[in-house]
Amino acid sequence: GKGGDDLTSDKVKALLRCVGKKQTELAAYLGMRPQNLATKMMRDSWHADDLIKVADFTGAKVGFFLPDGTSIFLDTAEKEGGGDNERHD
């Protein structure tokens, strides 16, 4: 349906608003040109790894929330600086 925030892009934009970041800053973080990000937003073509990067950029987390209350969070595979010793590969 065309009602409300049903596009992933809408949620990404909402996240950016929440943290006071611009779409151009996100584009730079993702290593893409602003017009390429605009196209991505328009097509709503987000891959899981894009969304994990968006989460990293905004300080959020991407996760699965199970009916029993368990939550499992996705993190970027390659964390800079390697100070992260809870790796479950």
Side-chain angles (χ1 to χ4, degrees):
K2 276 269 177 279
D5 287 340
D6 49 8
L7 294 180
T8 302
S9 295
D10 293 329
K11 295 184 173 60
V12 170
K13 287 173 188 167
L15 259 177
L16 291 175
R17 277 198 303 277
C18 287
V19 297
K21 301 270 193 196
K22 296 187 183 72
Q23 216 170 289
T24 50
E25 295 174 282
L26 176 60
Y29 184 82
L30 294 174
M32 55 171 62
R33 298 210 299 262
Q35 58 267 42
N36 296 358
L37 179 59
T39 303
K40 192 183 211 29
M41 290 273 192
M42 209 172 56
R43 291 192 183 137
D44 203 45
S45 63
W46 296 92
H47 298 289
D49 55 343
D50 296 324
L51 293 174
I52 293 168
K53 284 178 192 152
V54 169
D56 285 348
F57 179 67
T58 56
K61 274 180 163 30
V62 177
F64 299 103
F65 299 89
L66 282 73
D68 70 357
T70 305
S71 48
I72 295 168
F73 293 99
L74 301 180
D75 275 312
T76 19
E78 65 292 320
K79 277 267 192 279
E80 321 292 323
D84 210 330
N85 28 8
E86 58 169 46
R87 295 281 300 252
H88 313 293
D89 290 329

